[in-house]
């Protein structure tokens, strides 16, 4: 399978990062979003991030110009039908993802590969709502995409070998490393990471330590580059809660029960960095713990 044109659904935090790395690797990228403002913001952010790479002498000015030239945008989802590979990077809600794939299917080329950047939802179930479960798989990038080296590749029950090999080859061309995960809730990274974050929130909820003490303890005591509560804010507390619910529902084990404090923050709309408040308040010059 020859992949030259890549369609990306969603211009948010993940979508713009995915567009960045594909364009930098020489792929023609068509990015879509329902919001014109989101598309405009994404293109400006990609430009700034590429410029940062130029200043660090990681790429040349000519490399940046070529990458930006390869990126096009559209608000019409079905325009992606003419691409060779589609990566869905919409919000982590199965109903939304399913609706996207159902709208795309009638407009796809026969050999177009469909993938989802989902961090937790069943690939087999998503694939079953399309006309090509054998050409469907999970393509899970880590955030921030231009920096993080790992991509989880997840086969659904029907994914064929040619599709897997094509996606594996794409990861290599991007200069990243793939890890193959089975199609179980949250796959590998989030199966391990999210319960750790959830336990950190329980530690706060039960008064064992403050936000500052919990994050300092994991940074200095376990040599983590970022504390678990700061990391939760970076990921988005709504995303953390969604993944914990997938784990809890999918594996039926009480050890995956989302902490009530996490639920309360999400209900309050305190979702982390993207809303300026989560376990830290980001509205000032420096982040300040909210508990």
């Amino acid at each position: 399978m020859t992949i030259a044109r890549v369609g990306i659904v969603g211009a948010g935090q993940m979508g713009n990062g995915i567009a960045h790395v594909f364009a930098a690797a020489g792929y023609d990228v068509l990015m879509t979003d329902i919001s014109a403002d989101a598309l405009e913001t994404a293109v400006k952010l990609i430009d700034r991030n590429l410029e940062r790479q130029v200043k660090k002498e990681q790429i040349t000015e000519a490399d940046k110009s070529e990458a930006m030239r390869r990126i096009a945008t559209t608000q019409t989802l079905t325009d992606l039908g003419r691409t060779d590979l589609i990566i869905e990077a919409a919000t982590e809600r199965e109903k939304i993802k399913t609706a996207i794939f159902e709208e795309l299917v009638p407009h796809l080329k026969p050999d177009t590969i469909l993938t989802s950047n989902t961090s937790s939802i069943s690939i087999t179930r998503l694939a079953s709502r399309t006309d090509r479960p054998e050409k469907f798989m999970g393509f899970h990038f880590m955030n921030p995409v231009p920096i993080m080296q790992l991509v989880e590749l997840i086969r659904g029950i029907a994914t064929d070998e040619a599709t897997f090999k094509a996606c594996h080859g794409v990861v290599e061309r991007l200069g990243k490393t793939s890890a193959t995960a089975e199609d179980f809730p949250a796959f590998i990274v989030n199966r391990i990471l999210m319960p750790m974050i959830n336990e950190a929130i329980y530690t706060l909820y039960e008064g064992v330590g403050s936000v500052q003490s919990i994050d300092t303890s994991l940074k200095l005591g376990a040599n983590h580059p970022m504390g678990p509560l700061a990391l939760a804010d970076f990921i988005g507390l709504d995303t953390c809660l969604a993944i914990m619910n997938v784990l809890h529902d999918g594996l039926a084990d009480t050890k995956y029960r989302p902490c009530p404090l996490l639920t309360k923050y999400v209900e309050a709309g305190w979702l982390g960095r993207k809303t300026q408040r989560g376990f830290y308040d980001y509205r000032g010059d420096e982040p300040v713990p909210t508990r």
Side-chain angles (χ1 to χ4, degrees):
M1 297 180 183
T2 301
I3 295 173
R5 302 198 69 199
V6 178
I8 296 166
V9 183
Q13 191 174 45
M14 296 303 295
N16 77 67
I18 295 168
H20 173 148
V21 298
F22 271 91
Y27 292 96
D28 291 326
V29 173
L30 182 59
M31 180 168 49
T32 187
D33 198 283
I34 57 173
S35 165
D37 289 343
L39 288 168
E40 183 180 349
T41 298
V43 171
K44 288 178 180 177
L45 182 59
I46 293 167
D47 186 83
R48 285 202 304 272
N49 288 338
L50 285 167
E51 184 60 32
R52 189 176 292 120
Q53 289 181 296
V54 171
K55 289 178 179 176
K56 291 180 179 179
E57 299 184 346
Q58 296 171 340
I59 61 173
T60 66
E61 192 66 50
D63 292 333
K64 176 196 167 185
S65 297
E66 278 296 301
M68 291 304 299
R69 183 186 61 78
R70 294 188 191 105
I71 298 172
T73 63
T74 178
Q75 284 184 264
T76 305
L77 177 64
T78 54
D79 286 348
L80 271 60
R82 61 183 183 268
T83 61
D84 307 311
L85 167 68
I86 293 176
I87 302 171
E88 171 274 313
T91 188
E92 192 69 356
R93 289 172 57 191
E94 186 168 347
K95 187 176 180 180
I96 291 173
K97 293 178 185 295
T98 297
I100 287 168
F101 290 123
E102 289 178 344
E103 185 176 347
L104 274 170
V105 160
H107 304 274
L108 300 178
K109 299 189 301 179
D111 58 348
T112 297
I113 294 174
L114 287 175
T115 69
S116 176
N117 185 59
T118 179
S119 51
S120 61
I121 297 168
S122 167
I123 298 303
T124 297
R125 198 162 60 242
L126 289 174
S128 72
R129 303 299 294 272
T130 75
D131 66 340
R132 59 195 69 207
E134 73 284 353
K135 294 185 184 302
F136 192 110
M137 65 182 298
F139 211 145
H140 182 214
F141 289 84
M142 306 296 123
N143 185 34
V145 180
I147 294 171
M148 301 295 279
Q149 288 300 303
L150 182 71
V151 180
E152 281 184 311
L153 293 178
I154 308 101
R155 301 181 198 230
I157 196 170
T159 306
D160 63 26
E161 188 64 18
T163 298
F164 175 79
K165 285 182 177 178
C167 290
H168 186 271
V170 168
V171 175
E172 289 185 335
R173 181 170 164 183
L174 295 176
K176 295 188 181 294
T177 301
S178 63
T180 304
E182 293 300 314
D183 187 20
F184 285 93
F187 319 127
I188 295 173
V189 173
N190 284 316
R191 171 78 176 260
I192 297 167
L193 175 63
M194 284 302 159
M196 184 199 76
I197 287 175
N198 195 52
E199 193 61 30
I201 299 169
Y202 265 115
T203 305
L204 176 66
Y205 177 63
E206 294 170 3
V208 179
S210 65
V211 169
Q212 196 69 55
S213 62
I214 291 166
D215 276 356
T216 298
S217 294
L218 268 292
K219 284 169 67 177
L220 303 184
N223 204 28
H224 291 188
M226 184 183 293
L229 301 176
L231 180 56
D233 277 356
F234 181 75
I235 294 168
L237 303 190
D238 52 340
T239 300
C240 293
L241 179 59
I243 296 170
M244 287 308 302
N245 280 328
V246 167
L247 280 165
H248 191 227
D249 294 343
L251 298 172
D253 192 323
T254 55
K255 73 179 180 180
Y256 298 115
R257 183 171 67 96
C259 179
L261 184 60
L262 173 59
T263 302
K264 184 175 289 188
Y265 268 65
V266 172
E267 289 174 344
W270 291 20
L271 308 181
R273 285 182 175 270
K274 60 188 173 185
T275 60
Q276 296 295 296
R277 280 192 291 187
F279 292 110
Y280 293 85
D281 188 326
Y282 300 92
R283 293 174 296 177
D285 294 335
E286 296 289 333
V288 177
T290 54
R291 290 180 78 86

